[in-house]
């Protein structure tokens, strides 16, 4: 097993309302999530984002890594 089956933090669906953007709410939230992941022993924290959001996450200290791929279950679109 890689990394001894170590913990991985996974950040998903972080959204700040348009009218509240630019007030550092998103940066604060992501940095707190990264600190929580570190405090709970995660050896890394990952997320997937649109290309347009890469600069935001880089500002939070994250770096581009790999390629994301997905296969959704046929019924997932209907839920």
């Amino acid at each position: 097993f890689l990394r001894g089956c170590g913990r991985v933090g996974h950040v998903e669906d972080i959204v700040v309302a348009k009218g509240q953007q630019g007030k550092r709410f998103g940066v604060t939230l992501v940095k707190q999530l990264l600190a929580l992941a570190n405090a709970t022993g995660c050896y890394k924290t990952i997320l997937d984002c649109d290309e347009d959001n890469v600069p935001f996450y880089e500002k939070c200290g994250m770096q581009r890594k790999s390629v994301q791929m997905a296969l959704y279950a046929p019924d997932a679109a209907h839920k």
Side-chain angles (χ1 to χ4, degrees):
F1 293 100
L2 296 176
R3 309 267 187 204
C5 295
R7 291 182 182 187
V8 175
H10 188 143
V11 177
E12 189 167 346
D13 299 332
I14 300 296
V15 179
V16 174
K18 290 278 186 201
Q20 300 301 313
Q21 292 176 1
K23 298 179 181 179
R24 302 194 53 83
F25 293 134
V27 171
T28 300
L29 180 58
V30 171
K31 287 192 173 188
Q32 287 296 311
L33 291 170
L34 295 174
L36 178 62
N38 185 55
T40 58
C42 294
Y43 77 91
K44 71 177 177 179
T45 302
I46 60 174
L47 62 82
D48 299 313
C49 68
D50 291 331
E51 189 68 32
D52 293 345
N53 295 331
V54 169
F56 168 77
Y57 288 109
E58 288 176 335
K59 185 171 31 174
C60 294
M62 302 193 82
Q63 53 188 280
R64 184 186 298 264
K65 186 78 174 172
S66 300
V67 174
Q68 185 249 2
M69 298 174 70
L71 174 63
Y72 291 92
D75 292 342
H78 303 292
K79 293 181 181 180

